[in-house]
Amino acid sequence: MSVASELIRGNTETIILAQLMKHDGYGYMVNKAILNMTEGRFELKEATLYTAFRRLEDSGCIVSYWGDETTGARRKYYSITDLGRESYRLRKKDWKTAEAIIDKLLSEGEGESI
Amino acid sequence: MNEKLRNYIDSLFADAPQTVRAVELKEEMFQNLMDKYNDLISQGKSEEAAYNIAVASIGDVDSLIAGLSEGRVELNQSSRKRNALFISIAVALYILSPVPVILLENTVGLMLLFVFVAMATGLLIYNGATREKYVKADDTMVEEFKEWKQNSRQKNKAVDAIIGSVWLIAVCVYIVVSFMTGAWHITWLIFLITAAVSSMIKGIFMLKQ
C-alpha cells in the first residue's frame, strides 16, 4: 500500500459518510463511486469498507436495511442518520483544520528556519 | 465462477461463529464481490482476471471476522441467587404455616395460617413476575430460540401463579365462610365458581397473546 493510501485510510469513515450524504448505497456502489471520483486512483479494500460500516452503524451514524431486488440476490443498503450528518460535518471541519496545519508546517521558504 | 467466489468466501468464514451477523456479513460480501466481478467482466476482463482482482480487493478480513464473536453476555448470577432465596423462603413459610394452628388451637391460629400462606404465595408471584428475562448470549439462532422459549414460558408462569393464588383464596373463603355460617351443604359451590373463574383467566390471557 502506498503512503498516500495510508494517509487516506485515516479518513475512511468520513469518505463513506460523504458518499451516503448523497444517497443510500450498498458496499460495492459506495466503493465504485469512490473509484470513479478519484479516476481509478483510490479504492477501499472490502475488509476496510465493512469494518468502517460496522463502526459507523454501532455508533449510530448509519443504519442498514436489505434491499428488495426482484432479480438476483438481495443487497445490504446503508443510510445516513441525522447523527451521521452531524458527525460528517464535524469530521470535515477537523480535516480542514488538519489540512491547514499540515500545509503550513510543510511549506518551504517562508517562516523561520531551524 | 460464481461457485468459485462462493467457495472462496466460505473458506474465509470457516472459523467464524455461526451467528446471524456472520451470515449477513458473508452474504453482503458475496453480493458485493459478485457485483464487482460482473462489472469487471463487462469491462472486457477475462473470467480469470476478474476473479483474481475481486479476490485481491477483499484485503485482510481476520480482524473483521474476529469482531463477530465479541459482545457475549454473561448470564446474570445475582438474579439466579435471588430466585433461589425467594423460593426457599416461600417454601419455608408453607411448611411453617400449620404451626400457629397447632400452638394456639383457635381461630387466631387459623388466621395466621392463612397469613403465612398468603405471604408465601405473594413471594412466589412477585419472584415470577420480576424475574429477569433471558439475555441473548450472542446472535446465534439457538440463543434466539432460547430467548423466545424463556419468554413464552414466563407468560405461562404468570398465569399459573395467578390461578394458583385464586385457588388458595377459594380454599380460605370456603373454610372461613363454612365455619362462620355452618352451611357446609352449600358452600362447596365456591369450588365450582373458582373453576369457572380460573378458566376465564386462562381464556383472557390466551386472547391477549
Side-chain angles (χ1 to χ4, degrees), chain A residues 18-37:
Chain A
Q19 299 310 311
L20 295 178
M21 285 288 276
K22 299 173 204 160
H23 47 71
D24 294 2
Y26 55 91
Y28 182 60
M29 190 180 176
V30 169
N31 217 354
K32 202 180 177 193
I34 292 170
L35 193 70
N36 287 338
M37 282 172 82

Side-chain angles (χ1 to χ4, degrees), chain A residues 32-101:
Chain A
K32 202 180 177 193
I34 292 170
L35 193 70
N36 287 338
M37 282 172 82
T38 56
E39 283 136 10
R41 279 182 295 169
F42 183 76
E43 181 183 28
L44 290 169
K45 290 278 184 205
E46 302 278 321
T48 318
L49 187 68
Y50 299 128
T51 309
F53 274 147
R54 185 193 294 165
R55 217 175 300 143
L56 285 169
E57 195 170 12
D58 285 348
S59 62
C61 288
I62 59 173
V63 287
S64 63
Y65 59 92
W66 287 93
D68 52 357
E69 280 88 1
T70 42
T71 54
R74 290 151 75 231
R75 295 196 176 94
K76 198 176 189 184
Y77 285 84
Y78 294 91
S79 174
I80 194 164
T81 61
D82 286 340
L83 189 71
R85 272 181 260 272
E86 184 56 34
S87 166
Y88 166 72
R89 272 187 283 274
L90 285 174
R91 287 164 198 257
K92 197 173 171 183
K93 220 175 94 189
D94 284 348
W95 167 251
K96 290 280 176 208
T97 314
E99 191 186 24
I101 291 172

Side-chain angles (χ1 to χ4, degrees), chain B residues 25-145:
Chain B
L25 179 65
K26 201 162 125 181
E27 203 50 44
E28 187 185 3
M29 263 179 83
F30 175 67
Q31 190 51 44
N32 284 326
L33 277 178
M34 279 304 295
D35 281 343
K36 191 186 180 81
Y37 174 80
N38 289 331
D39 223 25
L40 289 166
I41 292 286
S42 70
Q43 284 167 22
K45 292 271 194 305
S46 73
E47 287 197 353
E48 197 57 38
Y51 172 80
N52 286 335
I53 295 173
V55 165
S57 76
I58 294 175
D60 177 23
V61 289
D62 288 352
S63 62
L64 189 67
I65 288 170
L68 288 170
S69 50
E70 279 168 18
R72 283 169 191 267
V73 194
E74 286 277 306
L75 265 185
N76 202 334
Q77 277 288 329
S78 67
S79 118
R80 217 178 280 170
K81 267 188 195 157
R82 197 200 65 155
N83 203 20
L85 181 72
F86 274 30
I87 289 174
S88 24
I89 291 176
V91 170
L93 282 172
Y94 279 128
I95 294 170
L96 291 175
S97 61
V99 173
V101 184
I102 297 162
L103 285 181
L104 298 170
E105 287 178 347
N106 60 17
T107 38
V108 178
L110 194 69
M111 289 299 167
L112 278 176
L113 179 143
F114 289 130
V115 170
F116 271 52
V117 169
M119 267 160 53
T121 311
L123 262 180
L124 285 182
I125 293 172
Y126 175 77
N127 187 36
T130 58
R131 210 157 111 190
E132 257 178 56
K133 72 183 206 116
Y134 188 84
V135 187
K136 273 195 285 184
D138 50 41
D139 276 339
T140 58
M141 278 97 171
V142 179
E143 291 298 317
E144 258 165 33
F145 174 72

